[in-house]
Amino acid sequence: MMNDRFVIDLALVWSRQMARPEAGATLEAKVTAVYNTALGRPPTQEEQWVAKDYFAGEDTEAVWKDYLQAVFALKEFIYLR
Protein backbone atom coordinates (compact mmCIF):
# COMPACT_ATOMS: atom_id res chain seq x y z
CA MET A 1 0.00 0.00 0.00
CA MET A 2 2.75 2.45 0.94
CA ASN A 3 4.21 2.49 -2.58
CA ASP A 4 0.90 2.57 -4.41
CA ARG A 5 0.64 5.51 -6.83
CA PHE A 6 -2.51 6.77 -5.07
CA VAL A 7 -0.75 6.89 -1.68
CA ILE A 8 2.30 8.58 -3.18
CA ASP A 9 0.10 11.20 -4.83
CA LEU A 10 -1.80 11.87 -1.59
CA ALA A 11 1.47 12.23 0.30
CA LEU A 12 2.75 14.62 -2.37
CA VAL A 13 -0.33 16.85 -2.20
CA TRP A 14 -0.25 16.95 1.59
CA SER A 15 3.53 17.51 1.65
CA ARG A 16 3.11 20.63 -0.47
CA GLN A 17 0.74 22.01 2.16
CA MET A 18 2.98 21.05 5.08
CA ALA A 19 6.13 22.53 3.54
CA ARG A 20 4.52 25.98 3.34
CA PRO A 21 5.65 28.37 6.08
CA GLU A 22 2.03 29.13 7.03
CA ALA A 23 1.29 25.43 7.69
CA GLY A 24 2.61 25.80 11.23
CA ALA A 25 5.06 27.88 13.15
CA THR A 26 7.15 24.92 14.25
CA LEU A 27 7.85 21.35 13.22
CA GLU A 28 6.14 20.23 16.42
CA ALA A 29 2.96 22.09 15.43
CA LYS A 30 3.02 20.56 11.95
CA VAL A 31 3.56 17.02 13.27
CA THR A 32 0.72 17.55 15.74
CA ALA A 33 -1.53 18.65 12.87
CA VAL A 34 -0.60 15.55 10.86
CA TYR A 35 -1.38 13.19 13.73
CA ASN A 36 -4.64 14.95 14.57
CA THR A 37 -5.75 14.78 10.93
CA ALA A 38 -4.54 11.28 10.06
CA LEU A 39 -5.08 9.47 13.36
CA GLY A 40 -7.49 11.66 15.30
CA ARG A 41 -5.06 12.12 18.18
CA PRO A 42 -2.00 14.15 19.02
CA PRO A 43 1.43 12.52 18.72
CA THR A 44 3.11 11.08 21.77
CA GLN A 45 6.33 12.65 23.01
CA GLU A 46 8.25 9.74 21.47
CA GLU A 47 6.54 10.29 18.11
CA GLN A 48 7.53 13.96 18.26
CA TRP A 49 11.15 12.97 18.96
CA VAL A 50 11.15 10.52 16.06
CA ALA A 51 9.79 13.22 13.74
CA LYS A 52 12.39 15.73 14.94
CA ASP A 53 15.17 13.21 14.28
CA TYR A 54 13.70 12.31 10.90
CA PHE A 55 13.47 15.89 9.68
CA ALA A 56 16.85 16.90 11.16
CA GLY A 57 16.25 20.53 10.25
CA GLU A 58 15.05 19.81 6.69
CA ASP A 59 11.46 21.01 6.54
CA THR A 60 11.16 20.40 2.78
CA GLU A 61 8.44 19.04 0.53
CA ALA A 62 10.49 15.93 -0.29
CA VAL A 63 11.07 15.04 3.36
CA TRP A 64 7.40 15.67 4.17
CA LYS A 65 6.32 13.39 1.31
CA ASP A 66 8.36 10.49 2.66
CA TYR A 67 7.24 11.17 6.23
CA LEU A 68 3.57 11.27 5.24
CA GLN A 69 3.89 8.02 3.29
CA ALA A 70 5.19 6.47 6.50
CA VAL A 71 2.21 7.87 8.44
CA PHE A 72 -0.14 6.34 5.86
CA ALA A 73 1.59 2.99 6.46
CA LEU A 74 1.00 3.02 10.22
CA LYS A 75 -1.23 0.16 11.34
CA GLU A 76 -3.22 2.71 13.34
CA PHE A 77 -4.01 4.53 10.07
CA ILE A 78 -4.88 1.38 8.11
CA TYR A 79 -6.99 -0.58 10.59
CA LEU A 80 -10.12 0.40 12.52
CA ARG A 81 -10.33 -0.37 16.20
Side-chain angles (χ1 to χ4, degrees), residues 46-66:
E46 182 179 357
E47 289 165 335
Q48 283 284 7
W49 291 334
V50 168
K52 186 176 179 181
D53 286 345
Y54 183 80
F55 282 90
E58 286 193 59
D59 190 0
T60 65
E61 186 178 312
V63 178
W64 272 107
K65 184 180 88 46
D66 293 342

Side-chain angles (χ1 to χ4, degrees), residues 11-33:
L12 182 60
V13 169
W14 201 2
S15 70
R16 288 178 181 149
Q17 295 170 354
M18 298 308 294
R20 291 184 193 151
E22 64 271 14
T26 65
L27 178 63
E28 184 176 326
K30 290 179 180 183
V31 171
T32 298

Side-chain angles (χ1 to χ4, degrees), residues 63-75:
V63 178
W64 272 107
K65 184 180 88 46
D66 293 342
Y67 182 77
L68 292 166
Q69 274 187 262
V71 170
F72 292 150
L74 291 172
K75 288 182 181 175

